[in-house]
Amino acid sequence: MTVAVPIIEFEDVHKDFVVHRKAGRLRRERTVVRAVDGLSFAVERGAIVGYIGPNGAGKSTTVKLLTGILVPSAGRVSVAGLIPAKQRITLARRIGAMFGQRVQLWWDLPLIDSFDLLRHIYRIPEERYRQNLTEFRELLELDPFLRTPVRQLSLGQRIRGEVVAAMLHDPEVVFLDEPTIGLDVVAKQRVREFLTAANRERGVTVMLTTHDLADIERLCSRILILDRGRLVYDGGLEALKARYGGERTLVVDLEESGPALRVTDARVTRVDGPRQWIAFDRERTNAARLAAEVASQAALRDLTVEEPDIEDVVRRIYAERQVGRT
Amino acid sequence: MIAALRADLEIARRGYARYAAYPVATLAGLFTNTLFGFMRGFVLLALFEQRSEIGGYDAAATLTYTWLTQALIATVFIWGWLDLAIRIRSGDIVTDLVRPIHPLRAALANDLGRSAYHAVFRGVPVLLVGALMFDLIAPAGPLEWFAFFVSAALAVVVSFAFRFLYNIPAFWLLDFRGIAVLAMILSSLFSGFVIPIAFFPDWLAAIAHATPFPAMVQIPIDIFVGAVRGPQIAVALAVQAAWAAGLLLLCRVCFALGVRRLVVQGG
Amino acid sequence: MGELLDGIRLYGRLVAARVRAQLQYRTSFALDLAGNFFISFLDFAAILVIFSNVPQLGGWSVAEVALLYGMSNLAFALTDFAVGELDQFPQQIRDGTFDQVLIRPRGTLFQVVTGNFQLRRLGKALQALLILGYALTALPIEWTVDRLLVFALAVPAGTVIFCSVWVVAICIVFWAVDGREAANAFTYGGQFFTQFPINIYDRWLRRFLAYAVPLAFVAYFPALYVLHKSDPLGLPAWLGLLSPLVALAAAVAAGAVWGGAVRHYRSAGG
């Protein structure tokens, strides 16, 4: 993908970790783990990018490289025209970040006091701070708990506080790690709307990691998928679905366990006792036809149809790559 | 009976494994215990420039005392232990209550496993360093060696029971740390951990001997260096055993009271 | 300069925020403070027990040792207040909260030590002041300008030395997070070491903890100077004047070690 005005650039970036693993009672083995392996991409100003991959794919390492927490082993990283590893403090004023469940607010201070301290830590001009706070308070409905110590807040309230904390100093880019995890539907919606508004009205570039397909669908214009430190997909959600996610799954519960069923224009992907998963392409067959076919072979107790989710799509991409490797 | 003992053993093994999993922590602890051994040893040796003996301790016995206390720090675990209080406050204690083994018994088995690890990996090495660098004295014979091991094991039980006891107020108090810190300081002074009780003025020594604290540190050391000998050893062990039994009983009663409060008032 | 002032102002704000938070629980806080105060007296009891057996220790009287104790513990209490939060630092490395420190536009050490001030730690300072008061009234010190100056600078210098030692010692967790207990050898070990006259320690222990780690400059040399006491080790009296310089050097060294350790963390990866 070519990008007009890149705000984030990754050029052939490598990051190796040395890990000591226990081998026997006292001996420890030294192995090098390649967390990021020649990664290149660029993100244009004003984009909302979803950043996806299983645990250990290199997601959090990438974010740490972008925020200047980690120094790359090789390659070039640039964010907002700065080199994160070298210009950590200058960059820190221009980016915001929120790492999932970790608390960046002061645990026993009222929310408003935390914001006030951040104002001084980031040296936010008084006027800007006031404007931002007024706007965010309204958007995220913070007023009812603004004077409550953080430790007494519910998860949803706290996350709303965290999101504001990441945005108070008018960052050009924000990195969000699982911003909606564990939230109820209403709170999720509120956070998403807030991010969309910040992106649209302030031009903030957003990069988020998530396991939630709805986050991606509602927010992201672009998706990056990572596997073992390499980029395996870069593009829009629709294209991704069309390419990998056309398949739905019919889950059938049979009266008795048995071998995998034989079905036309579809395939059994998993058998677990009396339950079987049948993947099918909407364009070639449909659930009703499949159900009838199943019923003719075995006694059917129950069935459900599963939409493809992002995990599924990602799994399929990995499966494909595995095949490609061997 | 056999099954219950097997469960105890299993729990003890877990107590052992929990500490065995962190060899670097063990090394770091050894380093600190050893350095303190040197510092404390020299401070106490300075007393013997002016005296040849204090309360039955001469210079060699005092040095031996110092290195033994350093070896016993981790083994007896004289410093803070708040695991139980934290479980009480977080409410996790409820899951312990539904298990078929009494939480006191489980915690004791766990602590014995822990102390076995610490005795071997943090006790013995420290004592070896002391013995290599200084002329320490050893128990007079196999009987004294045996009495010392029994006494050290009883010291662990007394220390455990005391730690368990000062965790129990967490059932009532939101802020239990104050009590725990006070308990730790009292025990480190009156156990004879900081200075041998033999060095205390008589009135202070009398107070110390009225408490269970000497049974945690001073008694096994007295047996080791021969400050207590012959039939006195049996008396000393009996005193320790009595404190161990008494404190465990007290733990049981207080814990039951705490549980009742938990059940009645609900956390 | 503006940078420095801004840092000081922010420091004040962070302290004030902690004060407000801790005063939410007035009773608990008062108990804590009193507890810390009394507990530190039990600590001094050990020294009194020693002196109940001998009239002097290594050529130092009980009042002279009380002077060492008071100076060392006042410096240590202030250190504990200023950087005691470093005790919790291994946890920050372990659970990854240190990463958040790295994405804020302030110095890392500054952020770590301001994380969670414990006001109750000042209870210890109160006790040290009382012991110091006792020592000063019991000792026949002839105050001259230079002695007053040495005495007045000793506690701030000692605090800076202790702080530097604490910072350097805790850096071990950047390499081995489980190794944190080794730091205690120098922090709490340093507190213990400086309470006593260093001439009672054997030569190599002194070389290591009194000079290589410059703990002799916390209380021993300044106290000798103030007492106009000749050093049992035969070292010159003017060493007592050097504490502020040693403190400055220690602070620079500690800053460099911390910086290097953070660089190591950022290239090795947390």
Side-chain angles (χ1 to χ4, degrees):
Chain A
M1 226 173 173
T2 52
V3 171
V5 192
I7 189 162
I8 295 174
E9 281 177 288
F10 240 57
E11 246 180 63
D12 196 26
V13 175
H14 291 257
K15 181 68 192 170
D16 299 335
F17 295 119
V18 175
V19 182
H20 292 278
R21 216 166 285 156
K22 236 181 149 167
R25 214 159 247 289
L26 288 170
R27 230 162 41 81
R28 296 205 308 162
E29 226 163 55
R30 189 174 176 280
T31 43
V32 176
V33 176
R34 187 145 284 186
V36 170
D37 188 9
L39 194 57
S40 302
F41 64 83
V43 174
E44 71 278 21
R45 204 174 269 276
I48 303 190
V49 177
Y51 197 55
I52 297 163
N55 289 333
K59 275 180 305 180
S60 61
T61 305
T62 310
V63 174
K64 284 178 184 179
L65 290 166
L66 288 169
T67 48
I69 293 171
L70 291 179
V71 181
S73 309
R76 196 179 72 89
V77 180
S78 153
V79 176
L82 299 167
I83 298 167
K86 290 200 178 128
Q87 294 158 289
R88 182 184 75 74
I89 290 191
T90 321
L91 179 70
R93 279 185 226 290
R94 296 173 56 181
I95 60 171
M98 180 190 145
F99 292 121
Q101 301 300 298
R102 283 176 204 154
V103 194
Q104 56 178 330
L105 300 164
W106 281 260
W107 197 238
D108 48 6
L109 293 185
L111 199 52
I112 186 76
D113 285 16
S114 276
F115 293 159
D116 190 56
L117 284 177
L118 286 171
R119 163 162 84 98
H120 294 291
I121 286 175
Y122 282 92
R123 299 193 187 128
I124 308 168
E126 179 101 37
E127 185 69 6
R128 272 314 287 159
Y129 173 74
R130 237 172 263 283
Q131 276 174 15
N132 282 346
L133 192 60
T134 315
E135 187 184 332
F136 296 160
R137 271 161 71 171
E138 199 172 316
L139 272 171
L140 284 169
E141 291 170 43
L142 303 178
D143 284 356
F145 52 90
L146 206 53
R147 301 196 178 278
T148 314
V150 171
R151 70 186 136 76
Q152 290 170 16
L153 299 182
S154 72
L155 179 68
Q157 292 172 333
R158 210 197 79 212
I159 297 291
R160 274 140 76 191
E162 301 273 1
V163 173
V164 169
M167 300 282 280
L168 272 176
H169 56 288
D170 289 319
E172 293 164 50
V173 194
V174 289
F175 300 96
L176 306 165
D177 181 23
E178 299 286 355
T180 62
I181 198 166
L183 298 186
D184 63 57
V185 186
V186 182
K188 273 186 187 182
Q189 197 44 40
R190 212 173 258 142
V191 169
R192 285 180 196 136
E193 278 164 11
F194 178 75
L195 292 175
T196 318
N199 173 255
R200 202 178 41 229
E201 282 151 34
R202 295 161 175 258
V204 179
T205 309
V206 180
M207 195 155 168
L208 68 133
T209 68
T210 184
H211 279 87
D212 192 331
L213 180 64
D215 278 350
I216 306 255
E217 281 186 329
R218 311 260 155 84
L219 292 172
C220 301
S221 50
R222 181 173 161 208
I223 303 170
L224 299 175
I225 300 181
L226 215 64
D227 179 32
R228 294 169 209 220
R230 286 164 187 261
L231 206 57
V232 294
Y233 179 82
D234 179 356
L237 181 64
E238 286 315 311
L240 180 70
K241 272 192 175 167
R243 191 158 140 211
Y244 296 101
E247 287 193 330
R248 308 162 97 193
T249 304
L250 179 72
V251 183
V252 293
D253 282 330
L254 306 176
E255 291 290 348
E256 282 164 25
S257 319
L261 298 159
R262 254 168 300 151
V263 280
T264 40
D265 294 332
R267 60 203 164 79
V268 176
T269 53
R270 212 178 133 202
V271 179
D272 181 12
R275 178 172 291 188
Q276 301 200 6
W277 284 258
I278 305 162
F280 65 98
D281 191 330
R282 243 187 293 200
E283 285 164 16
R284 290 169 67 194
T285 181
N286 61 51
R289 216 158 85 201
L290 275 175
E293 205 176 344
V294 169
S296 71
Q297 290 176 54
L300 189 60
R301 183 187 284 174
D302 197 6
L303 61 120
T304 45
V305 180
E306 285 179 357
E307 291 293 327
D309 66 2
I310 200 75
E311 294 289 295
D312 220 40
V313 173
V314 171
R315 219 175 292 129
R316 199 154 307 132
I317 293 177
Y318 296 141
E320 205 166 273
R321 283 170 55 80
Q322 287 295 349
V323 173
R325 267 187 203 129
T326 48
Chain B
M1 179 70 189
I2 298 285
L5 280 177
R6 182 160 300 161
D8 290 338
L9 201 65
E10 224 17 78
I11 295 170
R13 189 172 302 168
R14 245 179 290 154
Y16 183 99
R18 181 179 155 192
Y19 288 88
Y22 301 101
V24 177
T26 303
L27 273 178
L30 274 178
F31 173 75
T32 302
N33 292 159
T34 307
L35 198 68
F36 264 97
F38 283 110
M39 289 193 285
R40 296 183 55 221
F42 290 127
V43 168
L44 292 179
L45 264 188
L47 272 82
F48 292 92
E49 284 171 5
Q50 300 154 66
R51 299 192 47 174
S52 56
E53 160 292 297
I54 300 170
Y57 273 68
D58 60 8
T62 304
L63 267 181
T64 312
Y65 153 88
T66 311
W67 287 95
L68 273 173
T69 51
Q70 290 305 115
L72 286 175
I73 287 181
T75 313
V76 173
F77 217 78
I78 200 149
W79 305 136
W81 181 79
L82 292 171
D83 294 13
L84 176 68
I86 290 164
R87 284 188 80 75
I88 292 172
R89 280 268 55 105
S90 69
D92 290 346
I93 193 71
V94 177
T95 57
D96 300 344
L97 292 172
V98 298
R99 298 231 168 86
I101 185 163
H102 191 281
L104 177 63
R105 182 171 178 163
L108 176 59
N110 182 68
D111 200 59
L112 288 173
R114 173 204 62 72
S115 79
Y117 175 80
H118 280 156
V120 175
F121 292 97
R122 285 192 56 179
V124 173
V126 170
L127 199 55
L128 278 179
V129 172
L132 282 174
M133 303 298 292
F134 301 95
D135 282 328
L136 302 188
I137 48 181
L143 204 66
E144 282 78 5
W145 270 109
F146 178 71
F148 168 73
F149 287 122
V150 174
S151 178
L154 283 169
V156 174
V157 178
V158 175
S159 152
F160 161 78
F162 179 66
R163 282 180 272 130
F164 195 90
L165 202 58
Y166 71 62
N167 274 253
I168 293 178
F171 277 114
W172 291 271
L173 299 177
L174 201 63
D175 197 16
F176 49 85
R177 270 161 219 276
I179 289 188
V181 171
L182 186 66
M184 280 177 242
I185 296 288
L186 282 176
S187 58
S188 69
L189 183 70
F190 287 119
S191 63
F193 171 76
V194 181
I195 302 274
I197 293 172
F199 289 25
F200 287 13
D202 292 340
W203 62 272
L204 197 62
I207 295 176
H209 283 301
T211 68
F213 303 123
M216 297 177 191
V217 176
Q218 192 66 60
I219 294 181
I221 294 178
D222 280 346
I223 293 174
F224 193 97
V225 302
V228 165
R229 32 181 122 208
Q232 282 178 301
I233 292 179
V235 177
L237 291 179
V239 167
Q240 276 187 297
W243 277 119
L247 284 176
L248 285 175
L249 194 69
L250 194 60
C251 283
R252 227 183 140 132
V253 173
C254 293
F255 188 77
L257 287 175
V259 170
R260 191 189 303 163
R261 172 183 153 98
L262 191 71
V263 176
V264 173
Q265 307 209 351
Chain C
M1 201 61 204
E3 196 76 6
L4 184 68
L5 276 178
D6 185 62
I8 292 169
R9 261 201 301 272
L10 180 60
Y11 189 87
R13 283 212 169 82
L14 288 160
V15 174
R18 302 309 315 157
V19 174
R20 258 177 287 141
Q22 282 165 41
L23 290 184
Q24 286 171 27
Y25 305 96
R26 252 163 237 277
T27 358
S28 167
F29 174 71
L31 277 175
D32 258 6
L33 196 69
N36 262 271
F37 178 74
F38 287 113
I39 281 161
S40 29
F41 272 105
L42 283 175
D43 185 35
F44 192 66
I47 288 176
L48 292 179
V49 168
I50 288 178
F51 280 98
S52 74
N53 289 289
V54 287
Q56 42 103 354
L57 195 71
W60 292 64
S61 70
V62 64
E64 288 172 335
V65 171
L67 180 68
L68 285 178
Y69 179 96
M71 290 168 75
S72 141
N73 273 271
L74 187 55
F76 190 80
L78 295 174
T79 301
D80 195 21
F81 177 70
V83 302
E85 186 61 16
L86 287 173
D87 255 5
Q88 310 304 319
F89 181 62
Q91 197 51 42
Q92 288 196 22
I93 291 282
R94 204 170 275 139
D95 63 23
T97 37
F98 183 59
D99 290 349
Q100 271 171 8
V101 164
L102 285 168
I103 54 167
R104 284 197 179 143
R106 294 283 171 166
T108 47
L109 185 57
F110 177 85
Q111 291 185 68
V112 170
V113 301
T114 52
N116 188 8
F117 282 107
Q118 295 296 327
L119 287 182
R120 59 156 186 266
R121 289 178 179 141
L122 285 177
K124 215 185 290 178
L126 209 58
Q127 180 257 4
L129 271 176
L130 282 178
I131 303 283
L132 205 54
Y134 153 72
L136 291 181
T137 45
L139 290 164
I141 300 174
E142 283 173 45
W143 289 106
T144 55
V145 178
D146 56 331
R147 280 179 205 156
L148 208 58
L149 202 66
V150 167
F151 182 72
L153 287 176
V155 170
T159 308
V160 172
I161 294 175
F162 271 144
C163 285
S164 311
V165 168
W166 207 317
V167 167
V168 172
I170 205 68
C171 280
I172 188 177
V173 302
F174 282 107
W175 282 269
V177 73
D178 295 337
R180 58 139 310 161
E181 213 183 325
N184 290 357
F186 299 99
T187 56
Y188 299 100
Q191 181 194 18
F192 182 90
F193 184 83
T194 49
Q195 286 171 13
F196 296 97
I198 64 164
N199 58 299
I200 63 175
Y201 301 114
D202 116 318
R203 181 187 308 233
W204 68 262
L205 188 65
R206 218 162 36 222
R207 280 190 187 145
F208 180 38
L209 287 179
Y211 313 134
V213 183
L215 290 172
F217 293 88
V218 171
Y220 184 77
F221 289 138
L224 280 176
Y225 193 94
V226 170
L227 292 169
H228 199 59
K229 188 180 168 82
S230 61
D231 188 354
L233 299 166
L235 294 167
W238 53 261
L239 282 170
L241 296 166
L242 291 188
S243 286
L245 288 178
V246 171
L248 200 66
V252 171
V257 171
W258 176 269
V262 171
R263 261 196 304 283
H264 165 81
Y265 175 85
R266 293 172 66 203
S267 41

